[in-house]
Amino acid sequence: MPNSLQPPTTEPLRASLSDADDRIFLNRWMPPQKGIAPRIRIGRRWINTLWSLPIAAAALLCLIALAQSLRELPMVEVFIRQNPGIPQSAAAVDAGFPWWLQLQHFLNMFFMLFIMRAGLQILADHPRLYWGRDCTPGTDWFRFQVPVPKDRIWTAKDDSVTLPTWLGIPGLRHTLGLSRWWHFSINLLWLINGIAFYALLFSTDQWRRLVPLTWEVFPAAMSTAIQYASLNFPVDEGWTRYNGLQQLSYFITVFIAAPLSIATGLMQSPAISNALGWFGRVFNRQAMRSVHFISFAWFVAFILAHGAMVFVTGIRQNTNHMFAGVDNASWSGFPLFLLAMGILLSTWLVVSPFTIRYARLVQRVGAFMIGWIMGLAEGWDPRSQLTKKDISPYFWPNGTMPNSKEFDDLVAENFTSYRLRVSGLVAAPREFSLSDLKAMSKQAQITTHFCIQGWSGVAEWGGVPMRDILSLVKPTPDARYAVFYSLADGADGGRYYDVHKIENMCHSLTILAYEMNGAPVSVLHGAPLRLRCENELGFKMVKWVAAIEFVRDFADLGAGQGGYNEDHEFYGYRMPI
Ligand SMILES: Nc1nc2c(c(=O)[nH]1)N[C@H]1C(S)=C(S)[C@@H](COP(=O)(O)O)O[C@H]1N2
Ligand SMILES: [Mo]
């Protein structure tokens, strides 16, 4: 009699999974690759942004000369007398700089340090920016990488560049798995600080500093700009109210650049972009990524200008205001300012080496802080589809190609003996040939692929819905995850695999694709079969699928993190954001 309590079949490919290091060993990590000085494309010409340094220096000198001669004109003197710089409508606040404002100012500075450095590291993983939704080589408007080579397969991973450890977090190359934990976790803290800041601003009279109430702010800003530029500085009433230029630049930073950064950051995620429907299609990932970067550039410019002004307009008074909350001629603020700078500098020095040494810990703490929020977004069934005319002329290839006789033989016989094994916690384990799958009802969909590295592309995919596979093999109530095993190894050896919650398999656009843009999926893009799970980042969509196993837990697979990149590159196993 057949034993109905037979242990469930286990997938033989389990044995080819590998363990992974819990830290980054430089000799085993992806070899470094230098980028180039950032370039901006104007028309067909690429201009090196380093030119902006001498040009800005020359422009500054000209500006000073111009402003000084302007101030000799009676007309301009009259204008400045009528518009001394502080809008007359600006009511002074009562309390100077209360303790909460000083604290939030420091926290903001502290958090920004992580956010900006980790953000730059993420950018270095696809060091190009575009406006259109395609990432077709040559359509980038900004890059710090050479043009895409045409004489060889050039994957997105090949394209990533190294950042020094003092600049990026954690520096090195293709470390964005770790950068993302810093970027998103600290963003959450920054957001909380920002919300508390807004709340306190508007529940006190401090908002009056920042919000211009009349058009008078523009002539006032013009007047202050001329006064600063002529090196004959305007009267400073910073303790209780700001001049026009301060008001405008602080307003833009607090009420435009910060919310814009958050919105454009979130809109780069597959789950959020999909959930936004037409809005996500129009304001596509690449445009959002470009705006996100421009907003970053604003912050850099703001910090440099603001920092310089703190020094040149009276460091003692300014640090008394912002670090001690007093408006007098004492030295009470300056030591506190030095202490704050010391904390910033030592954190700056420590964070990259720490991340490299304790990579697994950073992954774990990051998942604790924001992985669960990301997990929530997995529940949204992505349905946003595009049209045939949106299909990208170029779709970046990525990942580690199959490199085995087994695979070459399959290609040579056009996958006739290929079998997809489905096993594990299922009532009816099965093998499917390619023609079995093609005989099932086919689903076609035109969707955007969101690679974690930053590129995206639109393609039409055709294949078998995973929910149809599920209804054939019938996962048992114990089954919580589907493990996808590839025919290809990952970059560090050991088989490529990835784990999805079963709920992800039930979304309407989750399919096993055997067609791409109307033709059989090419070997480059995952032949004979690759997963499409549209609410996740690209690395979760295993190419060259060999087998699917349903399991209760994934802790005993590979290094136990839920997938190859999760094990080896410290990604999270739920990454719809
Ligand atoms: N087997 C396997 N599947 C993989 C990868 C890989 O390295 N090996 N890379 C992933 C990543 S990071 C991405 S972005 C997509 C890329 O798919 P594409 O080459 O069709 O663009 O495949 C995913 N699937
Ligand atoms: Mo990717």
Side-chain angles (χ1 to χ4, degrees), residues 398 451-453 538-539:
N398 212 3
C451 173
I452 192 169
Q453 293 182 265
F539 74 92

Side-chain angles (χ1 to χ4, degrees), residues 172 201 213 216 229 278 309 318 341 343 364 367 381 417 445 453-454 466 496 501 513 547:
L172 314 180
L201 277 184
L213 289 178
E216 207 193 334
W278 67 267
M309 293 310 267
N318 289 330
M341 290 299 131
I343 294 174
R364 207 167 293 140
D381 187 359
S417 64
Q445 58 201 42
Q453 293 182 265
M466 270 307 291
Y496 193 95
K501 289 182 82 165

